[in-house]
Amino acid sequence: AQSVTQLDSQVPVFEEAPVELRCNYSSSVSVYLFWYVQYPNQGLQLLLKYLSGSTLVESINGFEAEFNKSQTSFHLRKPSVHISDTAEYFCAVSDSSNDYKLSFGAGTTVTVRA
Amino acid sequence: ETGVTQSPTHLIKTRGQQVTLRCSSQSGHNTVSWYQQALGQGPQFIFQYYREEENGRGNFPPRFSGLQFPNYSSELNVNALELDDSALYLCASSFKVDEQFFGPGTRLTVL
């Protein structure tokens, strides 16, 4: 069975500063990896995903994540955050062992201050 | 193209009651998954329906049950509500395994 650990529950950051959200997973087979964002009182929106191929994946709003198989990690980064990036971020994994059902981490709350 | 919709938005019930939550999947999607998100936690997988059949279940008791209809919309039913069932219930629809599209959720409060 797979599991996901998000190492930081809260990350305060100043506007225009960089941010990194850490995610580690455990799985015995090839995985799909995802980052979802949840704004207050809303559902989840897919930020980016890794399925195969290039280990560096990017989103349209400046986030990127790198799949590191040896370290079983999928950390999320953004070089310069905006106030509008304040949200909860969830890392998720799926694999063939449970028919590709999503397993989520506990989430990281990012608060961007001016 | 209409996204995933859920109803109702909010719901308040008392212990022991039963509740039905509804989800309309995105056009073209034949798979619906339900998740429970307790306050301050990540979503937990409840079960999935594919073409009207249950296709996997998480660690939830039998009082959590579901249905999927021919138009691929879905219901989540919870019997004998407990205080710990208070949570945001999320529905997600998909066509392929590599991406699920989430609805806005139903906030259930059990008193």
Side-chain angles (χ1 to χ4, degrees), chain B residues 6-80:
Chain B
Q6 293 185 243
S7 63
T9 306
H10 295 88
L11 202 53
I12 299 175
K13 293 285 189 178
T14 56
R15 273 191 313 174
Q17 285 189 309
Q18 178 266 342
V19 69
T20 297
L21 310 182
R22 295 178 175 83
C23 171
S24 290
S25 59
Q26 189 164 313
S27 177
H29 289 182
N30 56 17
T31 302
V32 172
S33 304
W34 285 92
Y35 296 83
Q36 180 196 65
Q37 186 181 12
L39 200 61
Q41 298 182 27
Q44 299 292 316
F45 173 71
I46 302 174
F47 45 55
Q48 182 183 87
Y49 280 83
Y50 170 68
R51 294 187 175 184
E52 303 178 60
E53 297 285 332
E54 187 178 289
N55 181 40
R57 187 179 184 91
N59 189 26
F60 281 81
R63 59 190 185 84
F64 285 78
S65 63
L67 279 174
Q68 188 179 32
F69 300 99
N71 66 354
Y72 302 134
S73 65
S74 178
E75 286 182 354
L76 164 65
N77 298 290
V78 187
N79 293 322

Side-chain angles (χ1 to χ4, degrees), chain A residues 32 34 36 38 42-44 46 49 51 90 94 99-102 104-106, chain B residues 35 37 40-43 45 48 55-56 88 90 97-100 102-104:
Chain A
Y32 293 165
F34 306 84
Y36 282 87
Q38 186 175 38
Q42 294 188 26
L44 301 176
L46 180 67
K49 62 184 177 183
L51 305 179
F90 292 96
S94 70
D99 206 19
Y100 297 100
K101 309 300 189 290
L102 284 173
F104 286 87
Chain B
Y35 296 83
Q37 186 181 12
Q41 298 182 27
F45 173 71
Q48 182 183 87
N55 181 40
L88 180 68
L90 295 164
V97 297
D98 62 358
E99 187 166 351
Q100 296 186 23
F102 283 81

